[in-house]
Amino acid sequence: DTGVSQDPRHKITKRGQNVTFRCDPISEHNRLYWYRQTLGQGPEFLTYFQNEAQLEKSRLLSDRFSAERPKGSFSTLEIQRTEQGDSAMYLCASSEVGDTQYFGPGTRLTVL
Amino acid sequence: GENVEQHPSTLSVQEGDSAVIKCTYSDSASNYFPWYKQELGKRPQLIIDIRSNVGEKKDQRIAVTLNKTAKHFSLHITETQPEDSAVYFCAADTGGGNKLTFGTGTQLKVEL
């Protein structure tokens, strides 16, 4: 499968725990994006990378959220001290510069 | 920042009829407008997109129109089929592929 992949697909955690998600983009894509989607809403932009550089972060991304793309390939999104309001689908997408964004299957986070 | 409004939120049509979904955007600098289809529990998938130098684009039963002066764009699906049933999201990009701002989605139901 040469599409965008994400791991894990589902994560259930208790409030206050830290979680980390991984995204593997389409191999030739130099841009990688993270979005969050809650039920009945469209995806909301969180942050994006061009190669290993994080170029923009949304105001939605509080200090508890951090994202990395250390070698310009896969990316990780970490949420520290999770809250119930963090429950959502976390979507990753990748693209070439200025081109179509292709989405991964998402990681569904449930915070109890 | 960009704001995208989408109407209607739900749309029910008979098989074979046409469906039209409309979106407006606020940022006149936006120049790329994709449409994504999302089935329940699945990733958003691009179905068609249009750039600001084009007024209309068609791909088989799907077409998109763009009016830059009025800052609105529409998705047209002809000869609808039950497999067209899904949530459709419009989006706008402010340029350079930085990020997408999504509408709130339209739940399309095609009835037999």
Side-chain angles (χ1 to χ4, degrees):
Chain A
D1 187 356
T2 56
V4 179
S5 61
Q6 292 186 246
D7 184 71
R9 295 291 307 278
H10 303 274
K11 179 69 176 179
I12 299 174
T13 191
K14 294 182 178 180
R15 185 164 53 91
Q17 298 294 304
N18 299 342
V19 294
T20 300
F21 310 141
R22 176 178 170 128
C23 171
D24 286 89
I26 294 171
S27 58
E28 61 268 26
H29 286 178
N30 51 16
R31 286 205 169 170
L32 187 150
Y33 310 79
W34 286 98
Y35 291 84
R36 180 171 66 190
Q37 186 177 27
T38 54
L39 199 61
Q41 299 296 316
E44 293 177 296
F45 171 79
L46 294 178
T47 188
Y48 89 97
F49 294 83
Q50 181 160 317
N51 300 315
E52 66 275 9
Q54 188 173 18
L55 297 187
E56 187 173 347
K57 292 195 296 185
S58 165
R59 288 169 295 179
L60 294 174
L61 215 63
S62 76
D63 291 344
R64 298 184 296 105
F65 288 71
S66 62
E68 294 182 341
R69 194 183 183 198
K71 297 182 179 179
S73 56
F74 73 92
S75 175
T76 58
L77 177 68
E78 181 183 16
I79 308 174
Q80 296 182 327
R81 305 181 302 282
T82 53
E83 302 173 356
Q84 288 188 324
D86 297 331
S87 295
M89 175 75 84
Y90 290 84
L91 291 163
C92 175
S94 72
S95 76
E96 297 185 30
V97 175
D99 207 348
T100 301
Q101 292 186 28
Y102 294 92
F103 282 84
T107 295
R108 181 168 295 284
L109 173 65
T110 301
V111 182
L112 302 176
Chain B
E2 177 70 279
N3 182 50
V4 177
E5 295 190 357
Q6 183 172 348
H7 301 280
S9 57
T10 61
L11 180 59
S12 185
V13 299
Q14 295 292 314
E15 183 181 9
D17 287 350
S18 296
V20 180
I21 303 170
K22 298 182 179 182
C23 289
T24 60
Y25 61 98
S26 61
D27 190 344
S28 57
S30 294
N31 59 18
Y32 174 63
F33 307 92
W35 286 87
Y36 286 85
K37 174 183 180 182
Q38 189 174 31
E39 297 177 63
L40 191 63
K42 301 283 183 68
R43 72 187 75 193
Q45 290 196 306
L46 181 80
I47 55 170
I48 196 167
D49 57 12
I50 191 167
R51 297 190 183 272
S52 59
N53 58 346
V54 175
E56 183 174 356
K57 184 176 178 181
K58 189 174 181 180
D59 182 4
Q60 300 183 337
R61 298 186 297 109
I62 296 173
V64 57
T65 58
L66 172 64
N67 183 327
K68 282 222 74 179
T69 303
K71 290 192 279 190
H72 66 70
F73 55 113
S74 301
L75 177 71
H76 305 253
I77 306 174
T78 58
E79 300 171 25
T80 53
Q81 301 167 2
E83 51 266 38
D84 294 329
S85 296
V87 179
Y88 291 80
F89 292 99
C90 62
D93 172 12
T94 53
N98 292 347
K99 64 183 181 184
L100 295 175
T101 300
F102 284 82
T104 50
T106 296
Q107 174 76 62
L108 173 65
K109 183 177 181 181
V110 180
E111 298 176 332
L112 296 171

PDB file of all heavy atoms in Angstrom, chain B residues 82-105:
ATOM      1  N   PRO B  82     -26.800   5.193  -5.382  1.00  0.00           N
ATOM      2  CA  PRO B  82     -26.739   4.940  -3.923  1.00  0.00           C
ATOM      3  C   PRO B  82     -25.317   5.029  -3.371  1.00  0.00           C
ATOM      4  O   PRO B  82     -25.120   5.484  -2.249  1.00  0.00           O
ATOM      5  CB  PRO B  82     -27.306   3.524  -3.806  1.00  0.00           C
ATOM      6  CG  PRO B  82     -28.233   3.393  -4.974  1.00  0.00           C
ATOM      7  CD  PRO B  82     -27.575   4.169  -6.086  1.00  0.00           C
ATOM      8  N   GLU B  83     -24.321   4.642  -4.162  1.00  0.00           N
ATOM      9  CA  GLU B  83     -22.937   4.692  -3.670  1.00  0.00           C
ATOM     10  C   GLU B  83     -22.399   6.113  -3.561  1.00  0.00           C
ATOM     11  O   GLU B  83     -21.296   6.331  -3.042  1.00  0.00           O
ATOM     12  CB  GLU B  83     -22.010   3.852  -4.546  1.00  0.00           C
ATOM     13  CG  GLU B  83     -22.110   4.127  -6.023  1.00  0.00           C
ATOM     14  CD  GLU B  83     -23.065   3.186  -6.734  1.00  0.00           C
ATOM     15  OE1 GLU B  83     -24.132   2.840  -6.148  1.00  0.00           O
ATOM     16  OE2 GLU B  83     -22.763   2.811  -7.887  1.00  0.00           O
ATOM     17  N   ASP B  84     -23.159   7.107  -4.023  1.00  0.00           N
ATOM     18  CA  ASP B  84     -22.780   8.503  -3.813  1.00  0.00           C
ATOM     19  C   ASP B  84     -23.116   8.962  -2.401  1.00  0.00           C
ATOM     20  O   ASP B  84     -22.686  10.039  -1.978  1.00  0.00           O
ATOM     21  CB  ASP B  84     -23.492   9.422  -4.818  1.00  0.00           C
ATOM     22  CG  ASP B  84     -23.060   9.182  -6.257  1.00  0.00           C
ATOM     23  OD1 ASP B  84     -21.886   8.790  -6.471  1.00  0.00           O
ATOM     24  OD2 ASP B  84     -23.893   9.371  -7.171  1.00  0.00           O
ATOM     25  N   SER B  85     -23.890   8.175  -1.679  1.00  0.00           N
ATOM     26  CA  SER B  85     -24.267   8.536  -0.309  1.00  0.00           C
ATOM     27  C   SER B  85     -23.014   8.602   0.568  1.00  0.00           C
ATOM     28  O   SER B  85     -22.257   7.632   0.650  1.00  0.00           O
ATOM     29  CB  SER B  85     -25.254   7.521   0.270  1.00  0.00           C
ATOM     30  OG  SER B  85     -26.461   7.528  -0.459  1.00  0.00           O
ATOM     31  N   ALA B  86     -22.794   9.752   1.189  1.00  0.00           N
ATOM     32  CA  ALA B  86     -21.601   9.997   2.004  1.00  0.00           C
ATOM     33  C   ALA B  86     -21.673  11.431   2.516  1.00  0.00           C
ATOM     34  O   ALA B  86     -22.629  12.158   2.226  1.00  0.00           O
ATOM     35  CB  ALA B  86     -20.328   9.815   1.182  1.00  0.00           C
ATOM     36  N   VAL B  87     -20.655  11.832   3.264  1.00  0.00           N
ATOM     37  CA  VAL B  87     -20.512  13.235   3.647  1.00  0.00           C
ATOM     38  C   VAL B  87     -19.510  13.885   2.690  1.00  0.00           C
ATOM     39  O   VAL B  87     -18.441  13.323   2.431  1.00  0.00           O
ATOM     40  CB  VAL B  87     -20.032  13.385   5.096  1.00  0.00           C
ATOM     41  CG1 VAL B  87     -19.872  14.868   5.447  1.00  0.00           C
ATOM     42  CG2 VAL B  87     -21.009  12.724   6.064  1.00  0.00           C
ATOM     43  N   TYR B  88     -19.870  15.033   2.170  1.00  0.00           N
ATOM     44  CA  TYR B  88     -19.021  15.767   1.239  1.00  0.00           C
ATOM     45  C   TYR B  88     -18.540  17.049   1.910  1.00  0.00           C
ATOM     46  O   TYR B  88     -19.328  17.788   2.504  1.00  0.00           O
ATOM     47  CB  TYR B  88     -19.790  16.100  -0.043  1.00  0.00           C
ATOM     48  CG  TYR B  88     -20.089  14.877  -0.863  1.00  0.00           C
ATOM     49  CD1 TYR B  88     -21.155  14.050  -0.542  1.00  0.00           C
ATOM     50  CD2 TYR B  88     -19.281  14.518  -1.941  1.00  0.00           C
ATOM     51  CE1 TYR B  88     -21.424  12.902  -1.266  1.00  0.00           C
ATOM     52  CE2 TYR B  88     -19.542  13.374  -2.683  1.00  0.00           C
ATOM     53  CZ  TYR B  88     -20.614  12.570  -2.329  1.00  0.00           C
ATOM     54  OH  TYR B  88     -20.867  11.430  -3.049  1.00  0.00           O
ATOM     55  N   PHE B  89     -17.243  17.288   1.815  1.00  0.00           N
ATOM     56  CA  PHE B  89     -16.637  18.494   2.383  1.00  0.00           C
ATOM     57  C   PHE B  89     -16.015  19.338   1.277  1.00  0.00           C
ATOM     58  O   PHE B  89     -15.268  18.813   0.444  1.00  0.00           O
ATOM     59  CB  PHE B  89     -15.528  18.138   3.379  1.00  0.00           C
ATOM     60  CG  PHE B  89     -16.007  17.478   4.638  1.00  0.00           C
ATOM     61  CD1 PHE B  89     -15.939  16.106   4.786  1.00  0.00           C
ATOM     62  CD2 PHE B  89     -16.514  18.242   5.683  1.00  0.00           C
ATOM     63  CE1 PHE B  89     -16.378  15.499   5.950  1.00  0.00           C
ATOM     64  CE2 PHE B  89     -16.956  17.639   6.851  1.00  0.00           C
ATOM     65  CZ  PHE B  89     -16.887  16.263   6.980  1.00  0.00           C
ATOM     66  N   CYS B  90     -16.308  20.626   1.311  1.00  0.00           N
ATOM     67  CA  CYS B  90     -15.561  21.546   0.474  1.00  0.00           C
ATOM     68  C   CYS B  90     -14.418  22.111   1.306  1.00  0.00           C
ATOM     69  O   CYS B  90     -14.436  22.045   2.540  1.00  0.00           O
ATOM     70  CB  CYS B  90     -16.447  22.677  -0.037  1.00  0.00           C
ATOM     71  SG  CYS B  90     -17.151  23.739   1.248  1.00  0.00           S
ATOM     72  N   ALA B  91     -13.432  22.655   0.641  1.00  0.00           N
ATOM     73  CA  ALA B  91     -12.291  23.232   1.353  1.00  0.00           C
ATOM     74  C   ALA B  91     -11.679  24.331   0.494  1.00  0.00           C
ATOM     75  O   ALA B  91     -11.877  24.376  -0.722  1.00  0.00           O
ATOM     76  CB  ALA B  91     -11.245  22.163   1.681  1.00  0.00           C
ATOM     77  N   ALA B  92     -10.949  25.206   1.154  1.00  0.00           N
ATOM     78  CA  ALA B  92     -10.242  26.278   0.456  1.00  0.00           C
ATOM     79  C   ALA B  92      -8.821  26.360   0.986  1.00  0.00           C
ATOM     80  O   ALA B  92      -8.572  26.163   2.174  1.00  0.00           O
ATOM     81  CB  ALA B  92     -10.968  27.608   0.649  1.00  0.00           C
ATOM     82  N   ASP B  93      -7.929  26.669   0.092  1.00  0.00           N
ATOM     83  CA  ASP B  93      -6.508  26.754   0.423  1.00  0.00           C
ATOM     84  C   ASP B  93      -6.055  28.158   0.084  1.00  0.00           C
ATOM     85  O   ASP B  93      -6.337  28.660  -0.993  1.00  0.00           O
ATOM     86  CB  ASP B  93      -5.752  25.718  -0.410  1.00  0.00           C
ATOM     87  CG  ASP B  93      -4.255  25.846  -0.277  1.00  0.00           C
ATOM     88  OD1 ASP B  93      -3.795  26.569   0.607  1.00  0.00           O
ATOM     89  OD2 ASP B  93      -3.554  25.209  -1.074  1.00  0.00           O
ATOM     90  N   THR B  94      -5.333  28.797   1.022  1.00  0.00           N
ATOM     91  CA  THR B  94      -4.938  30.185   0.791  1.00  0.00           C
ATOM     92  C   THR B  94      -3.763  30.319  -0.160  1.00  0.00           C
ATOM     93  O   THR B  94      -3.307  31.405  -0.414  1.00  0.00           O
ATOM     94  CB  THR B  94      -4.584  30.860   2.127  1.00  0.00           C
ATOM     95  OG1 THR B  94      -3.618  30.055   2.819  1.00  0.00           O
ATOM     96  CG2 THR B  94      -5.802  31.001   2.995  1.00  0.00           C
ATOM     97  N   GLY B  95      -3.285  29.198  -0.653  1.00  0.00           N
ATOM     98  CA  GLY B  95      -2.224  29.299  -1.633  1.00  0.00           C
ATOM     99  C   GLY B  95      -0.942  28.660  -1.137  1.00  0.00           C
ATOM    100  O   GLY B  95      -0.625  28.717   0.037  1.00  0.00           O
ATOM    101  N   GLY B  96      -0.212  28.051  -2.028  1.00  0.00           N
ATOM    102  CA  GLY B  96       1.044  27.426  -1.680  1.00  0.00           C
ATOM    103  C   GLY B  96       0.890  26.096  -0.973  1.00  0.00           C
ATOM    104  O   GLY B  96       1.887  25.522  -0.522  1.00  0.00           O
ATOM    105  N   GLY B  97      -0.334  25.602  -0.869  1.00  0.00           N
ATOM    106  CA  GLY B  97      -0.543  24.306  -0.233  1.00  0.00           C
ATOM    107  C   GLY B  97      -0.267  24.323   1.243  1.00  0.00           C
ATOM    108  O   GLY B  97       0.103  23.317   1.840  1.00  0.00           O
ATOM    109  N   ASN B  98      -0.421  25.483   1.879  1.00  0.00           N
ATOM    110  CA  ASN B  98      -0.109  25.567   3.300  1.00  0.00           C
ATOM    111  C   ASN B  98      -1.073  24.783   4.167  1.00  0.00           C
ATOM    112  O   ASN B  98      -0.657  24.061   5.062  1.00  0.00           O
ATOM    113  CB  ASN B  98      -0.108  27.027   3.762  1.00  0.00           C
ATOM    114  CG  ASN B  98       1.036  27.805   3.157  1.00  0.00           C
ATOM    115  OD1 ASN B  98       1.952  27.227   2.589  1.00  0.00           O
ATOM    116  ND2 ASN B  98       0.980  29.100   3.262  1.00  0.00           N
ATOM    117  N   LYS B  99      -2.346  24.951   3.949  1.00  0.00           N
ATOM    118  CA  LYS B  99      -3.335  24.260   4.756  1.00  0.00           C
ATOM    119  C   LYS B  99      -4.680  24.402   4.076  1.00  0.00           C
ATOM    120  O   LYS B  99      -4.881  25.273   3.233  1.00  0.00           O
ATOM    121  CB  LYS B  99      -3.421  24.854   6.156  1.00  0.00           C
ATOM    122  CG  LYS B  99      -3.900  26.294   6.203  1.00  0.00           C
ATOM    123  CD  LYS B  99      -3.899  26.844   7.607  1.00  0.00           C
ATOM    124  CE  LYS B  99      -4.405  28.269   7.629  1.00  0.00           C
ATOM    125  NZ  LYS B  99      -4.326  28.862   8.976  1.00  0.00           N
ATOM    126  N   LEU B 100      -5.589  23.523   4.456  1.00  0.00           N
ATOM    127  CA  LEU B 100      -6.962  23.576   3.963  1.00  0.00           C
ATOM    128  C   LEU B 100      -7.894  23.983   5.087  1.00  0.00           C
ATOM    129  O   LEU B 100      -7.754  23.501   6.212  1.00  0.00           O
ATOM    130  CB  LEU B 100      -7.386  22.214   3.412  1.00  0.00           C
ATOM    131  CG  LEU B 100      -6.651  21.710   2.167  1.00  0.00           C
ATOM    132  CD1 LEU B 100      -7.108  20.301   1.819  1.00  0.00           C
ATOM    133  CD2 LEU B 100      -6.869  22.652   1.000  1.00  0.00           C
ATOM    134  N   THR B 101      -8.829  24.854   4.776  1.00  0.00           N
ATOM    135  CA  THR B 101      -9.918  25.173   5.688  1.00  0.00           C
ATOM    136  C   THR B 101     -11.160  24.508   5.126  1.00  0.00           C
ATOM    137  O   THR B 101     -11.526  24.764   3.970  1.00  0.00           O
ATOM    138  CB  THR B 101     -10.129  26.688   5.806  1.00  0.00           C
ATOM    139  OG1 THR B 101      -8.920  27.286   6.299  1.00  0.00           O
ATOM    140  CG2 THR B 101     -11.268  26.988   6.765  1.00  0.00           C
ATOM    141  N   PHE B 102     -11.792  23.651   5.929  1.00  0.00           N
ATOM    142  CA  PHE B 102     -12.910  22.848   5.466  1.00  0.00           C
ATOM    143  C   PHE B 102     -14.247  23.472   5.846  1.00  0.00           C
ATOM    144  O   PHE B 102     -14.372  24.157   6.869  1.00  0.00           O
ATOM    145  CB  PHE B 102     -12.834  21.442   6.077  1.00  0.00           C
ATOM    146  CG  PHE B 102     -11.815  20.555   5.444  1.00  0.00           C
ATOM    147  CD1 PHE B 102     -10.482  20.640   5.808  1.00  0.00           C
ATOM    148  CD2 PHE B 102     -12.189  19.633   4.477  1.00  0.00           C
ATOM    149  CE1 PHE B 102      -9.527  19.820   5.222  1.00  0.00           C
ATOM    150  CE2 PHE B 102     -11.245  18.809   3.888  1.00  0.00           C
ATOM    151  CZ  PHE B 102      -9.914  18.899   4.263  1.00  0.00           C
ATOM    152  N   GLY B 103     -15.255  23.189   5.030  1.00  0.00           N
ATOM    153  CA  GLY B 103     -16.627  23.467   5.410  1.00  0.00           C
ATOM    154  C   GLY B 103     -17.098  22.430   6.420  1.00  0.00           C
ATOM    155  O   GLY B 103     -16.367  21.501   6.770  1.00  0.00           O
ATOM    156  N   THR B 104     -18.342  22.580   6.872  1.00  0.00           N
ATOM    157  CA  THR B 104     -18.866  21.714   7.922  1.00  0.00           C
ATOM    158  C   THR B 104     -19.469  20.428   7.391  1.00  0.00           C
ATOM    159  O   THR B 104     -19.903  19.589   8.166  1.00  0.00           O
ATOM    160  CB  THR B 104     -19.924  22.459   8.753  1.00  0.00           C
ATOM    161  OG1 THR B 104     -20.864  23.059   7.864  1.00  0.00           O
ATOM    162  CG2 THR B 104     -19.285  23.543   9.611  1.00  0.00           C
ATOM    163  N   GLY B 105     -19.498  20.263   6.073  1.00  0.00           N
ATOM    164  CA  GLY B 105     -19.926  18.999   5.504  1.00  0.00           C
ATOM    165  C   GLY B 105     -21.390  18.957   5.113  1.00  0.00           C
ATOM    166  O   GLY B 105     -22.231  19.649   5.696  1.00  0.00           O
TER     167      GLY B 105
END
